[in-house]
Amino acid sequence: MKNISSKRVLITGGSGFLGSHLCERLLDEGHEVLCVDNFYTGRRANIAHLLNRPYLEVLRHDICFPLYVEVDEIYNLACPASPIHYQFDPVQTTKTSVHGSINMLGLAKRVKAKILQASTSEVYGDPTIHPQPETYWGNVNPIGLRSCYDEGKRCAETLFFDYHRQHKLKIKVARIFNTYGPRMHPNDGRVVSNFIMQALKGEELTVYGDGKQTRSFCYVDDMIDGLIKLMNSPDDFTGPVNLGNPNEFSIHKLALKVIEMTDSKANIVFKPLPFDDPTQRKPDISIAKKVLQWEPKIQLDEGLNKAIKYFRDML
Ligand SMILES: NC(=O)c1ccc[n+]([C@@H]2O[C@H](COP(=O)([O-])OP(=O)(O)OC[C@H]3O[C@@H](n4cnc5c(N)ncnc54)[C@H](O)[C@@H]3O)[C@@H](O)[C@H]2O)c1
């Protein structure tokens, strides 16, 4: 059903993991959704169940090229997010963040749309303070293998704030921390999907380093709530705002949990840590709590169960 206060919403990267959940939620809320994707890492399967919805339109398009459409809001999610994918063609990764942002900001300026950038905790690099507040400027290697993603996203943030200052654009910048759930790409090497797939197939779970490095994992439904709340926040709130689950787990503990929850007989194998892999990641979400009244509700066991069910059904 279309809602009376329905908006026309463009979601770039709409057939990816987060984008497909966002398309679904906004359609459920009665909005018109234009899903734009070049299907680089996104899959039609992620949105197949939505294709008969009358207010969904899907457009194959690379945001490195300009786009002329009429919309009220733009969620800019297009960008490969896993190291395997973003390092496959690093120049294209930087282009997507930089040229893509310029194109989407230009569109927002032309049609006076509000625009949200899916930034990342990777802008903090290998952080020297813990947990990371938004005021921390980060510790990023500008010339490493991860730089195409980290520096691309940092430059995108700069562009968002310059368009805001120079052209008075209504912007929102979300710094997304590790998010997991159904529709993650099964082979993208991200730790949660990797462990679940390995455990379900009875293969060894690969832990890089000694496994003591920590991450905090946010379930996708919580993340989508956060992004929508940010988009709907007052115009004078631009962010950047951290969105993520502050509960911290070591990678080793996560591997043990996945083995237990999948009833797997798999063992854990330790491999050398990739260069530039951050040792700790945990969001300080005080601003999100205060301004957006947002905090994650779904804890790891409940979220993992849903993700395990998704990957089990897929296999
Ligand atoms: N999932 C996470 O844990 C996480 C964490 C931090 C930030 N993010 C950010 O959130 C966004 C979505 O991440 P995701 O996990 O859904 O990743 P994903 O790879 O599943 O989705 C990205 C989507 O963008 C599309 N895309 C890539 N380049 C494009 C281009 N040039 N033009 C048009 N479409 C393009 C891909 O085909 C894909 O559908 C990304 O910007 C990512 O950087 C995600």
Side-chain angles (χ1 to χ4, degrees):
M1 269 292 271
K2 202 169 153 194
N3 159 340
I4 193 160
S5 53
S6 159
K7 290 175 284 202
R8 297 160 303 175
V9 186
L10 162 61
I11 303 176
T12 75
S15 76
F17 160 50
L18 293 181
S20 63
H21 285 274
L22 188 58
C23 285
E24 187 165 357
R25 185 78 67 85
L26 291 173
L27 286 169
D28 288 348
E29 287 183 4
H31 301 293
E32 286 179 41
V33 173
L34 171 58
C35 164
V36 166
D37 206 296
N38 67 352
F39 296 98
Y40 184 57
T41 53
R43 292 170 299 158
R44 279 183 80 80
N46 285 343
I47 48 166
H49 63 297
L50 303 174
L51 291 177
N52 61 354
R53 303 276 285 260
Y55 296 109
L56 174 72
E57 211 177 330
V58 182
L59 178 66
R60 182 186 288 267
H61 174 80
D62 185 327
I63 62 158
C64 296
F65 299 93
L67 179 66
Y68 298 91
V69 288
E70 296 290 324
V71 288
D72 305 306
E73 290 180 350
I74 303 170
Y75 287 83
N76 189 33
L77 269 58
C79 186
S82 84
I84 293 180
H85 289 147
Y86 70 63
Q87 289 171 13
F88 178 73
D89 185 348
V91 173
Q92 171 67 14
T93 301
T94 304
K95 276 187 181 170
T96 296
S97 278
V98 179
H99 294 196
S101 291
I102 291 173
N103 287 324
M104 290 307 110
L105 286 159
L107 171 64
K109 183 175 161 227
R110 276 195 301 279
V111 300
K112 297 191 173 37
K114 200 173 2 170
I115 180 165
L116 179 148
Q117 167 67 355
S119 190
T120 168
S121 56
E122 300 291 335
V123 299
Y124 300 125
D126 193 359
T128 51
I129 59 171
H130 195 73
Q132 294 83 52
E134 290 84 348
T135 46
Y136 178 53
W137 289 355
N139 175 33
V140 177
N141 174 359
I143 56 166
L145 293 177
R146 303 173 74 101
S147 313
C148 58
Y149 184 72
D150 303 6
E151 295 288 24
K153 289 284 188 180
R154 285 168 68 95
C155 184
E157 287 200 10
T158 308
L159 285 162
F160 268 68
F161 278 86
D162 282 335
Y163 266 79
H164 173 65
R165 283 183 289 255
Q166 201 175 330
H167 301 297
K168 310 281 171 269
L169 236 68
K170 291 178 193 163
I171 62 153
K172 309 280 175 188
V173 174
R175 290 189 179 150
I176 301 174
F177 283 65
N178 267 345
T179 305
Y180 70 98
R183 301 189 209 138
M184 286 182 92
H185 200 292
N187 302 319
D188 71 2
R190 284 192 264 191
V191 65
V192 175
S193 45
N194 228 20
F195 283 171
I196 297 177
M197 289 298 284
Q198 288 169 328
L200 290 176
K201 290 200 250 167
E203 293 169 359
E204 288 174 328
L205 274 70
T206 332
V207 169
Y208 294 98
D210 58 10
K212 289 194 186 125
Q213 69 274 33
T214 63
R215 292 291 183 276
S216 44
F217 302 102
C218 184
Y219 188 67
V220 59
D221 290 358
D222 282 330
M223 183 55 61
I224 300 301
D225 282 346
L227 292 173
I228 293 175
K229 280 194 163 171
L230 175 58
M231 183 61 106
N232 294 338
S233 63
D235 286 349
D236 62 357
F237 182 67
T238 56
V241 59
N242 288 337
L243 295 179
N245 193 323
N247 286 345
E248 215 175 351
F249 280 86
S250 77
I251 296 293
H252 188 217
K253 199 166 160 198
L254 177 74
L256 294 172
K257 197 177 249 308
V258 169
I259 290 176
E260 184 197 318
M261 290 179 71
T262 50
D263 280 328
S264 175
K265 306 259 179 298
N267 294 316
I268 295 176
V269 59
F270 293 87
K271 291 200 174 160
L273 200 61
F275 189 64
D276 277 352
D277 202 45
T279 43
Q280 275 186 319
R281 266 303 160 61
K282 171 178 165 159
D284 175 337
I285 58 163
S286 334
I287 294 184
K289 277 186 180 165
K290 188 164 161 236
V291 182
L292 308 177
Q293 283 82 49
W294 176 87
E295 66 183 307
K297 297 191 185 80
I298 299 168
Q299 293 312 327
L300 194 61
D301 281 48
E302 185 186 349
L304 275 181
N305 259 326
K306 294 184 194 205
I308 289 168
K309 180 178 179 324
Y310 169 79
F311 286 112
R312 190 171 284 182
D313 291 349
M314 197 170 77
L315 280 172

